[in-house]
Each structure stands twice: as structure tokens, then as C-alpha cells.
Amino acid sequence: MNLSLDQNNDQLIAAILVVGFHHAYGPIVEFCIPPLPYHNTGTKIQKSLEKLELPEEWNFLPFLALPDGAHQKDEDFAYFHLPPVPGWTVAETTLFGISCNRQIASKDLLVKTPDITRSIVQKAVVVLAKQPIFGPLRQKLAVITAAWFNQRDFTKLEILHVSLKPINFIDLH
């Protein structure tokens, strides 16, 4: 079943995103599962990283998820919240974000896409939740992010696609 972010109303986790540092744009959102409401193209899954446009209310999301100075640590976490987006039922109220950012030397990548122009690649995997459940999410997010980076190939998105369903079954007790 192909849901957009706006149709994912009955889940605790609204979305998993990727924010990357682009040499020309700075931090950008490159991936979202389920797709953002106006990016739902009818394809079952997003098959590559690409610059995604955000609603005006969330324009600062990439800077919160991949903050300035993130390059100074091998792994770090950021916690934030996003305001409601008018017309998006999944974002009628505040969403709570946690990101796990990492970096890898571009020489260590098995696949280098044309957008990789620097010696270090920085990316953050982000979870948007409907409740502030940062503690239970942190460990799972660290594992997902490490596994994705350990592939040394950012064109492989399967880990991100399969992560949404199990992460929705977080034990809050």
C-alpha cells in the first residue's frame, strides 16, 4: 500500500527522512518515507536520494537535523519539534524530531554519486514522531543510521524503507 505522509495518521512514527549536506545548498532533505503529501508520485518507493521541497513551515528542518558543527563528531543526535502544517492531517499538531548524524570519508564509499564533491559526506537519518518519545527512539535510530552508513553506499535505501514498520512498534513502557 502506498501512503503519503499525510495518510500515515494512525502510526506513532510519522516519517523517516534523510538530510544530507549538499555542497551548493547546505543541508537538504533528500528522502522521506512515506512521501511528503505533494511528493507522492504514485511510485511505491523513493529509489534515490534527491532534493525534496518542504512546506514553508518546515524550511528550517534540515538545519535542525544536521546542525552546524556536526562534522566535529563521528555520531551525534539532535532533538527538535516542527510546527503544524495547514492542510496536512499528519501535521495538525507539533511533530517531534530526532536525528542521528554521521559522516564518512568519500574515499571509503563504494559508490560515489555526482553530488559527492567533498572529502567527507555528512548525513542525518531523522525520525518524526507524534509524541516526544526521544529515549526509545534514540537507540533504534543509532542502529538504523550505523547500518546504512556501514553499507558505504548511499544509493542503497532498503534499510530506510524497511525501518519504518518496526520502529512504529516501540515499547513505551
Side-chain angles (χ1 to χ4, degrees):
M1 184 151 87
N2 184 25
L3 295 177
S4 77
L5 177 63
D6 204 39
Q7 296 166 318
N8 193 27
N9 292 326
D10 59 344
Q11 300 294 316
L12 183 60
I13 304 304
I16 294 178
L17 298 90
V18 170
V19 173
F21 187 86
H22 189 276
H23 66 279
Y25 303 115
I28 60 170
V29 173
E30 301 176 314
F31 175 86
C32 185
I33 186 75
L36 296 168
Y38 49 81
H39 287 283
N40 191 10
T41 61
T43 59
K44 193 164 190 156
I45 59 172
Q46 185 178 337
K47 296 184 187 243
S48 63
L49 298 178
E50 60 186 85
K51 185 177 187 223
L52 300 178
E53 296 300 320
L54 296 171
E56 184 177 338
E57 295 83 358
W58 290 4
N59 278 341
F60 51 87
L61 184 157
F63 299 94
L64 296 171
L66 191 60
D68 199 25
H71 63 281
Q72 296 176 1
K73 295 185 178 180
D74 290 334
E75 179 182 79
D76 201 8
F77 296 85
Y79 308 88
F80 54 92
H81 65 274
L82 296 172
V85 177
W88 285 13
T89 55
V90 74
E92 288 177 328
T93 61
T94 297
L95 289 180
F96 300 89
I98 178 173
S99 69
C100 177
N101 59 68
R102 296 178 68 107
Q103 59 187 344
I104 187 172
S106 56
K107 66 179 177 53
D108 294 337
L109 293 173
L110 299 175
V111 175
K112 294 180 189 147
T113 54
D115 63 318
I116 297 176
T117 60
R118 296 183 171 211
S119 61
I120 299 290
V121 177
Q122 297 175 318
K123 295 197 182 289
V125 178
V126 181
V127 174
L128 297 181
K130 296 178 184 175
Q131 296 177 20
I133 53 170
F134 299 129
L137 282 175
R138 183 181 167 124
Q139 184 177 6
K140 289 185 182 231
L141 183 57
V143 170
I144 292 165
T145 305
W148 190 47
F149 268 74
N150 287 340
Q151 293 180 119
R152 299 185 307 159
D153 180 354
F154 294 123
T155 65
K156 292 183 176 181
L157 301 174
E158 293 85 13
I159 286 174
L160 302 174
H161 285 286
V162 300
S163 296
L164 183 61
K165 190 171 185 174
I167 209 168
N168 258 310
F169 294 102
I170 290 175
D171 183 8
L172 299 176
H173 304 289

